[in-house]
Amino acid sequence: MEFEEALKYFTSLGIEMVEIGCGGYPGNAHADPEILLNDEKALEDFKALIKKYGVQISALSCHSNPVHPNKEEAAAADKTIRNTILLNIAL
């Protein structure tokens, strides 16, 4: 489901807070920190949707393993976590 469609559905159910996947195991279909941190319009559009539907973000989700024994997987997880933290600050 597209992000706006999901927000519309959630608010129709009375949901007031959402947890949004930003990478790792939950994926980043609704909020890709890499894009949102590097594209001011994309970030403003994202914020506008949150405001339009009157929801609050309860958490940005990015579960993965930055201490994975495979160094490539560990580096990717570390980057995802760091970008998610930076996105939280930007919001």
Side-chain angles (χ1 to χ4, degrees):
M1 189 178 287
E2 293 295 320
F3 187 49
E4 183 168 12
E5 187 179 343
L7 291 175
K8 186 176 183 178
Y9 174 68
F10 291 152
T11 56
S12 77
L13 299 174
I15 293 171
E16 298 174 354
M17 298 186 92
V18 293
E19 179 175 345
I20 301 172
C22 290
Y25 307 132
N28 62 5
H30 293 146
D32 185 337
E34 191 94 21
I35 293 170
L36 295 173
L37 291 170
N38 294 297
D39 182 338
E40 193 172 314
K41 181 171 177 357
L43 180 60
E44 291 307 314
D45 290 347
F46 180 83
K47 289 179 182 181
L49 281 177
I50 295 295
K51 185 176 181 178
K52 176 180 178 179
Y53 289 94
V55 295
Q56 294 182 23
I57 298 173
S58 64
L60 297 177
S61 180
C62 65
H63 312 288
S64 55
N65 186 0
V67 295
H68 194 282
N70 178 301
K71 294 206 183 293
E72 290 175 2
E73 286 189 44
D78 182 72
K79 182 177 181 181
T80 297
I81 289 169
R82 289 174 186 275
N83 282 340
T84 300
I85 292 167
L86 293 172
L87 178 58
N88 186 58
I89 293 167
L91 293 173

